[in-house]
């Protein structure tokens, strides 16, 4: 039966109790908890009794505002003669509860129900009584109960337990019935035999093992074969030698190593080692009884004729661990059967081990990932260091070439000076000799002009390459750049590039170092000409222009080269960053450093069509008198 059906059943029982009985306890305003007597038919320490009494107490303490004060008394009629003990027990309880106000009596089991019905008025007059954990069949034969009694029976469905045995052992034809020598033991054995004989006719042999001691039972069970024999255990409170037992103790002693499954109808039998059965859950019955008691103790005292609620049905339950030990499959029982001691899924049974393994694997994976990442970063750093070393080596070579260029310029300057001297001497000699050959004069003029032009280039190179202090002085922006353009023009002509200049700032002055300003133009121009190396002839044009912009002046160097990818603009001015095979990555970095030293800025952008523009912006020099201007120039020297 599903959990939902069980909840509906408990609700139905409670509804019957409320509608039919409406029995109550003292008003809620009472400062004392209600007093409840728990009268058990068996020994209070018997598992079947203990499970129910604990469940009842737990529910009462949970549901009632002040909890409940409980008193426990026992008839223990299963193991001792009720007729012998009843007079003394009656006298004891009557004296015990004389003058006590008891709000509710709960009688658990057949013997407790009989005792309460017989002596209720004398011991607990006008007190409502709940009779629970009594078989439905016994209740029908026991006669009427007083109107103040609420009855909660259970149903022993032996035929269902036999059906479970048939499903688990389809080949078994021999039925063994185990019971004790007590009256109740024999009663249950009779019911089992009757159910087996009137039901399925498959049992060819039915044997009653009554009153046997535990060693005898174990010896007989050891000889059975699970293929042809099934065992159904009722109760054994007493054996034929007079030894007393709790029924669940017998199960615990005989089922552990039995080669055949043992069936029964109490849930605690399965806990002790029985295999399966249509069981009556004692703990569930205790919780249901406690719920009904709590509602009665919270209601009124109106009395009605006694009625019985629906009996708690038996439900299929199987001890999977026992079936596994015996090699019997539980699949034939169906999905509605409740499993006891079912093996947990591996992820639940070994969750600690799995957690440790996953942690170790995760830690190892993290370590490996960290090591791989460290290795990748180390290799990247090594490659970067190698690149930096190569860049520094290249920069060193450039510096060396610069030093050599200055020396070459000096060495070339001397022959040029000698050529000019010889031309002047030749001219004087011709004049003194009276020679006036026009063609010869024209040749000497061409030699003088070309030598002066070459000497001018050498002077500019020496000025540009020589080591000197950086001096910020007011200079005419266009004039400085025009002089530097003279150095760019021969290189442009050599590369087949058209150089076009548009100087538009006229006499505007900036506070700058002339050499560094010229170096900016040279670096940007060389960079632009390199970008047009693979361009078609019609596109090989370099435009150098100046203009006013935002309280300053701008130098614009524009080309029609291949252009720069959008993602590379942010790195253009980084040191040693270059997209050219033979580039050093220092030119644009130096341009940015010079721009920042002059409190200016440099930027780049793509031109419409194709190509790139580099823009240098510098602030205008402040206007000041000439003496002050010279003083500022001296103070600005570094």
């Amino acid at each position: 039966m599903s959990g939902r059906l069980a909840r509906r059943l408990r609700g139905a029982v409670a509804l019957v109790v409320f509608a039919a009985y409406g029995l109550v306890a003292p008003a809620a305003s009472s400062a004392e908890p209600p007093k409840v007597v728990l009268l058990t038919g068996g020994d209070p320490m018997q598992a079947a009794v203990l499970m129910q009494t604990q469940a009842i107490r737990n529910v009462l303490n949970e549901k009632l505002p002040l909890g409940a004060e409980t008193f426990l008394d026992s008839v223990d009629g299963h193991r001792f003669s009720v007729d012998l003990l009843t007079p003394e027990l009656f006298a004891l309880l009557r004296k015990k509860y004389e003058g006590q106000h008891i709000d509710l009596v709960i009688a658990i089991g057949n013997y407790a129900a009989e005792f309460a019905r017989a002596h209720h008025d004398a011991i607990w007059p006008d007190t409502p009584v709940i009779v629970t954990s009594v078989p439905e069949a016994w209740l029908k034969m026991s006669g009427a109960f007083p109107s103040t009694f609420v009855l909660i029976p259970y149903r022993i469905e032996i035929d269902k337990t036999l059906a479970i045995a048939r499903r688990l052992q389809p080949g078994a034809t021999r039925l063994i019935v185990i019971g004790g020598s007590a009256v109740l033991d024999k009663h249950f054995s009779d019911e089992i035999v009757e159910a087996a004989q009137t039901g399925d006719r498959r049992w060819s042999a039915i044997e009653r093992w009554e009153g046997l001691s535990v060693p005898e039972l174990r010896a007989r069970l050891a000889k059975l074969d699970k293929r042809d024999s099934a065992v159904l255990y009722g109760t054994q409170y007493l054996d034929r030698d007079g030894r007393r037992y709790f029924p669940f103790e017998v199960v615990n002693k005989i089922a552990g190593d039995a080669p055949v499954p043992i069936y029964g109808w109490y849930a605690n039998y399965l806990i002790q080692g029985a295999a399966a059965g249509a069981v009556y859950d004692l703990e569930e019955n205790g919780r249901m009884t406690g719920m009904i008691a709590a509602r009665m103790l919270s209601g009124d005292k109106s009395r009605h004729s006694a009625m019985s609620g629906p009996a708690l049905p038996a439900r299929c339950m199987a001890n999977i661990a026992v079936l596994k030990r015996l090699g019997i499959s539980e699949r034939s029982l169906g999905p509605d059967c409740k499993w006891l001691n079912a093996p947990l899924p591996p992820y639940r049974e070994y969750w600690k081990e799995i957690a440790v393994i996953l942690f170790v694997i995760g830690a190892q994976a993290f370590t490996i990932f960290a090591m791989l990442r460290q290795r990748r970063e180390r290799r990247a750093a090594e490659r970067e260091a190698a690149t930096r070393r190569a860049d520094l080596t290249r920069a060193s070579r450039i510096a060396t070439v610069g030093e050599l260029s200055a020396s070459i310029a000096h060495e070339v300057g001397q022959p040029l000076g000698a050529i000019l001297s010889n031309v002047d001497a030749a001219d004087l000699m011709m004049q003194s000799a009276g020679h006036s050959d026009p063609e010869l004069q024209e040749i000497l003029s061409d030699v003088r002009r070309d030598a002066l032009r070459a000497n001018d280039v050498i002077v500019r190179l020496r000025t540009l390459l020589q080591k000197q202090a950086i001096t910020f002085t007011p200079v005419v922006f266009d004039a400085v750049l025009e002089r530097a353009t003279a150095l760019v023009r021969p290189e442009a002509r050599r590369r087949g590039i058209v150089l076009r200049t548009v100087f538009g700032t006229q006499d505007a002055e900036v506070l700058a170092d002339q050499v560094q300003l010229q170096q900016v133009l040279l670096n940007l121009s060389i960079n632009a000409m390199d970008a047009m190396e693979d361009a078609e002839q019609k596109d090989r044009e370099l435009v150098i222009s100046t203009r006013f912009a935002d309280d300053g002046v701008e130098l614009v160097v524009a080309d029609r080269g291949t252009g720069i990818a959008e993602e590379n603009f942010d790195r253009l001015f980084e040191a040693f960053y270059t997209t050219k095979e033979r580039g050093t990555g220092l030119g644009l970095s130096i341009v940015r450093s010079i721009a920042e030293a002059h409190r200016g800025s440099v930027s780049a952008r793509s031109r419409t069509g194709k190509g790139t523009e580099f823009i240098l912006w510098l602030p205008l020099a402040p206007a000041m008198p000439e003496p002050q201007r010279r003083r500022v120039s001296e103070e600005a020297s570094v």
Side-chain angles (χ1 to χ4, degrees):
M1 180 181 294
S2 66
R4 182 180 299 177
L5 185 58
R7 290 192 294 271
R8 289 179 179 175
L9 177 62
R10 289 194 291 269
V13 172
L15 184 61
V16 168
V17 172
F18 254 146
Y21 307 103
L23 301 174
V24 213
S29 60
S30 173
E32 295 183 356
K35 296 179 180 180
V36 179
V37 173
L38 300 178
L39 182 65
T40 66
D43 189 301
M45 295 307 296
Q46 182 182 355
V49 177
L50 188 60
M51 292 169 67
Q52 295 183 82
T53 56
Q54 286 181 340
I56 292 171
R57 283 172 169 159
N58 291 339
V59 172
L60 291 179
N61 290 327
E62 177 184 347
K63 297 298 180 181
L64 297 177
L66 299 177
E69 184 179 358
T70 55
F71 305 92
L72 182 61
D73 295 291
S74 175
V75 177
D76 201 7
H78 295 301
R79 299 187 298 170
F80 300 96
S81 171
V82 176
D83 295 335
L84 179 65
L85 298 178
T86 295
E88 286 79 6
L89 181 63
F90 168 72
L92 174 65
L93 295 184
R94 184 174 184 180
K95 184 175 182 179
K96 178 179 179 179
Y97 293 108
E98 185 177 4
Q100 293 280 344
H101 176 77
I102 300 300
D103 299 294
L104 181 65
V105 176
I106 300 177
I108 304 173
N110 304 16
Y111 292 110
E114 287 284 10
F115 185 91
R117 179 167 57 178
H119 305 289
H120 160 259
D121 289 335
I123 303 175
W124 307 287
D126 300 323
T127 299
V129 178
I130 294 178
V131 173
T132 185
S133 195
V134 291
E136 187 180 40
W138 174 86
L139 196 61
K140 292 178 180 178
M141 298 183 298
S142 61
F145 279 82
S147 60
T148 55
F149 280 47
V150 175
L151 310 179
I152 307 175
Y154 71 90
R155 187 175 298 153
I156 297 177
E157 300 185 63
I158 300 175
D159 54 338
K160 284 187 177 182
T161 299
L162 291 172
I164 291 172
R166 288 194 295 271
R167 289 199 294 271
L168 292 176
Q169 295 176 273
T173 58
R174 178 188 179 192
L175 178 64
I176 309 297
V177 181
I178 297 179
S181 300
V183 175
L184 183 63
D185 298 336
K186 293 181 179 181
H187 170 74
F188 280 134
S189 295
D190 291 341
E191 288 192 355
I192 293 172
V193 172
E194 182 181 357
Q197 291 175 341
T198 57
D200 191 350
R201 301 292 182 179
R202 63 173 285 183
W203 306 109
S204 60
I206 301 176
E207 301 178 21
R208 297 177 63 148
W209 294 359
E210 289 184 335
L212 301 179
S213 65
V214 170
E216 289 179 293
L217 288 173
R218 295 183 64 179
R220 290 194 181 189
L221 287 171
K223 299 176 182 180
L224 298 179
D225 190 338
K226 67 180 180 182
R227 291 174 294 182
D228 59 18
S229 300
V231 178
L232 180 53
Y233 174 74
T235 61
Q236 180 159 319
Y237 286 99
L238 191 69
D239 65 16
R240 61 190 177 192
D241 297 326
R243 283 187 290 269
R244 294 182 174 85
Y245 305 91
F246 290 137
F248 75 92
E249 291 179 332
V250 178
V251 177
N252 177 265
K253 293 176 181 179
I254 66 175
D257 54 359
V260 293
I262 297 175
Y263 302 95
W265 56 75
Y266 288 115
N268 60 335
Y269 285 2
L270 272 69
I271 295 174
Q272 298 301 322
V279 305
Y280 162 57
D281 194 329
L282 298 165
E283 186 175 1
E284 182 181 359
N285 181 75
R287 289 194 299 269
M288 181 185 296
T289 303
M291 292 293 296
I292 294 172
R295 295 187 183 187
M296 291 174 60
L297 291 168
S298 302
D300 57 42
K301 288 189 175 182
S302 56
R303 298 182 182 180
H304 301 274
S305 58
M307 291 181 62
S308 172
L312 187 68
R315 284 173 283 182
C316 175
M317 182 180 291
N319 190 326
I320 302 302
V322 173
L323 294 179
K324 293 290 185 185
R325 178 180 65 82
L326 296 172
I328 297 175
S329 174
E330 71 281 1
R331 295 181 180 178
S332 61
L333 298 179
D336 293 333
C337 193
K338 182 179 178 181
W339 290 3
L340 183 67
N341 294 331
L344 295 174
Y347 69 89
R348 291 187 60 188
E349 184 174 1
Y350 303 104
W351 69 269
K352 292 183 179 179
E353 292 82 356
I354 292 173
V356 171
I357 293 172
L358 290 177
F359 175 79
V360 171
I361 293 174
Q364 290 180 341
F366 177 79
T367 303
I368 293 172
F369 172 78
M371 292 176 66
L372 290 175
R373 181 174 180 180
Q374 185 181 30
R375 180 186 178 191
R376 184 169 59 251
E377 291 178 350
R378 185 176 65 253
R379 289 189 173 182
E382 290 174 353
R383 287 194 298 269
E384 183 71 15
T387 302
R388 295 298 182 192
R389 284 194 298 269
D391 291 337
L392 289 173
T393 302
R394 191 162 59 249
S396 177
R397 287 200 303 271
I398 293 170
T400 303
V401 170
E403 294 292 338
L404 291 176
S405 298
S407 177
I408 292 171
H410 175 73
E411 294 298 328
V412 172
Q414 289 180 346
L416 285 175
I419 291 172
L420 286 173
S421 298
N422 290 331
V423 169
D424 291 339
D427 189 28
L428 290 173
M429 289 174 66
M430 287 178 64
Q431 290 178 7
S432 63
H435 294 289
S436 58
D437 187 349
E439 186 175 356
L440 187 58
Q441 288 289 341
E442 184 178 353
I443 291 172
L444 290 175
S445 296
D446 289 342
V447 172
R448 182 184 291 108
R449 183 178 64 252
D450 290 340
L452 287 172
R453 186 158 61 89
N455 186 69
D456 185 54
V457 172
I458 295 301
V459 170
R460 287 188 177 133
L461 281 174
R462 292 181 64 183
T463 302
L464 185 65
L465 294 174
Q466 68 184 356
K467 294 182 180 180
Q468 58 184 351
I470 300 174
T471 303
F472 293 92
T473 59
V475 296
V476 178
F477 192 56
D478 282 358
V480 174
L481 296 177
E482 283 180 0
R483 288 194 294 272
T485 304
L487 295 175
V488 176
R489 198 174 298 278
E491 181 65 16
R493 197 163 42 244
R494 186 183 70 81
R495 299 191 187 198
I497 295 174
V498 176
L499 175 61
R500 187 159 57 89
T501 59
V502 182
F503 294 104
T505 61
Q506 300 175 356
D507 296 329
E509 292 184 342
V510 294
L511 197 62
D513 181 88
Q514 295 188 51
V515 175
Q516 287 199 345
L517 193 55
Q518 290 174 346
Q519 185 176 355
V520 168
L521 177 59
L522 290 175
N523 286 1
L524 293 179
S525 299
I526 296 300
N527 189 72
M529 288 187 287
D530 289 342
M532 293 185 288
E533 184 175 354
D534 298 326
E536 297 181 6
Q537 184 60 45
K538 62 183 180 64
D539 295 328
R540 298 169 76 86
E541 180 185 53
L542 174 62
V543 179
I544 299 175
S545 61
T546 59
R547 63 195 179 195
F548 289 101
D550 299 331
D551 298 328
V553 291
E554 286 183 344
L555 165 65
V556 181
V557 178
D559 64 69
R560 288 292 181 183
T562 55
I564 299 172
E566 191 69 28
E567 62 270 14
N568 292 333
F569 272 103
D570 292 338
R571 300 189 60 193
L572 276 179
F573 299 98
E574 292 182 5
F576 302 110
Y577 175 77
T578 181
T579 58
K580 296 181 289 187
E581 293 183 3
R582 298 184 299 275
T584 64
L586 293 174
L588 293 179
S589 175
I590 293 172
V591 168
R592 184 185 65 177
S593 299
I594 293 174
E596 292 175 351
H598 286 72
R599 298 182 180 179
S601 63
V602 64
S603 61
R605 66 185 181 188
S606 297
R607 296 184 69 184
T608 304
K610 64 178 180 178
T612 309
E613 284 184 350
F614 285 86
I615 303 168
L616 170 73
W617 177 88
L618 294 179
L620 288 170
M624 59 185 69
E626 186 64 27
Q628 185 179 357
R629 177 174 300 195
R630 286 197 298 268
R631 188 167 58 252
V632 169
S633 299
E634 294 172 359
E635 292 174 355
S637 298
V638 292

